[in-house]
Amino acid sequence: MMDTQAQTGLPFMKMHGAGNDFVVIDSRGRGAVMTAGLAQALGDRNRGVGFDQLAEITDADGADFGLVFWNSDGSQAGACGNATRCVSDYVMRGLGAEQVSLVTARGGLRAERLADGRVAVNMGQPQLDWRAVPLAREVDTLHLPLDGDPVAVGMGNPHCVRFVPDAEAVDLAAVGAGHEHDPLFPQRTNVEFASLIGPDHLRMRVWERGTGITLACGSGACATAVAAHLRGLAGRHVVLEADGGTLEVDWREDGVWLTGPVARVFDGVLTPDYIAANR
């Protein structure tokens, strides 16, 4: 299929949720087309398109669609909440539906459009056991033996949530990269820095594994809300102010629901020469 695309070009969409931006490629009906090399090339904001994550839509048995996620360094991600919401909105519009089912590496998920136009997705229950996050050894996931006393939460991908007096004052590049590559995280980790700014209201900033600083992170918002509740800092319904916008997280009986805005910015076509040179 890549040979065919290299001859005809490859359509894509650019979308974002609260500033967390994505390239979306719809591979339904033709087979997956992405490779690590093409994902890395596309992730370059100067020589490619640029994105925080790339989401490839696939066919899925027993669900409306499947999703595979790629980071800008060419590695794969197990989950991406904001991309899931954006793609769900696109698929719902195509189907004329108000809710959809989907499959990711996280398993089966469900998304729905609210009356105000925002899109919510059930990201499943958090993974709190050290093996499931995963961590390299058995430790208390509510109090990691790292600077800042962070919390480890798995949301289909690993998260390290650190509560700080002022999230604005954190040097994300320096501290976030250090946690991402700490040996405690065998698959590296996303890192969230959060401060309480009101009852059930948090300020959150994000360093994403394989990407760097991002304006928002859906799975990171979920992990931060879960960690805040477990630490006794907030209830189960939390509003999070990310650099790029506002997200809501509601930890319910059936899973952690993530709600926020979605936007489809533009459509484009990757040229045959670009595909051939980077696959």
Side-chain angles (χ1 to χ4, degrees), residues 10-17 22-30 55-59 64-67 69 81-102 111-114 117-121 260-268:
L10 180 62
F12 71 92
M13 294 176 286
K14 188 69 182 290
M15 307 184 81
H16 80 85
F22 316 104
V23 163
V24 179
I25 292 176
D26 192 345
S27 290
R28 289 176 295 174
R30 62 185 180 190
E56 185 172 17
I57 311 173
T58 65
D59 296 305
D64 292 311
F65 65 100
L67 277 177
F69 304 108
N82 283 325
T84 301
R85 293 189 311 98
C86 286
V87 173
S88 295
D89 182 68
Y90 162 71
V91 174
M92 283 188 285
R93 291 180 186 278
L95 295 175
E98 295 301 312
Q99 60 181 15
V100 287
S101 61
L102 63 140
E112 60 187 34
R113 184 184 295 105
L114 306 186
R118 294 182 302 161
V119 173
V121 61
V262 299
R264 181 173 175 177
V265 184
F266 63 85
D267 296 354

Side-chain angles (χ1 to χ4, degrees), residues 34-58:
M34 288 307 302
T35 65
L38 184 56
Q40 186 174 24
L42 281 170
D44 189 318
R45 294 189 183 274
N46 299 111
R47 297 178 176 86
V49 180
F51 58 76
D52 291 332
Q53 271 81 37
L54 183 148
E56 185 172 17
I57 311 173
T58 65

Side-chain angles (χ1 to χ4, degrees), residues 183-225:
L184 186 60
F185 298 97
Q187 298 178 8
R188 297 181 294 162
T189 187
N190 301 277
V191 189
E192 289 78 36
F193 299 89
S195 51
L196 193 65
I197 58 177
D200 299 328
H201 197 172
L202 296 169
R203 175 72 171 98
M204 177 190 76
R205 300 181 68 206
V206 181
W207 175 271
E208 283 209 49
R209 173 185 63 167
T211 296
I213 298 171
T214 59
L215 296 183
C217 175
S219 61
C222 294
T224 299

Side-chain angles (χ1 to χ4, degrees), residues 154-173:
M155 288 301 308
N157 52 4
H159 291 269
C160 175
V161 182
R162 184 166 166 176
F163 294 102
V164 296
D166 181 8
E168 304 284 352
V170 175
D171 185 342
L172 286 181

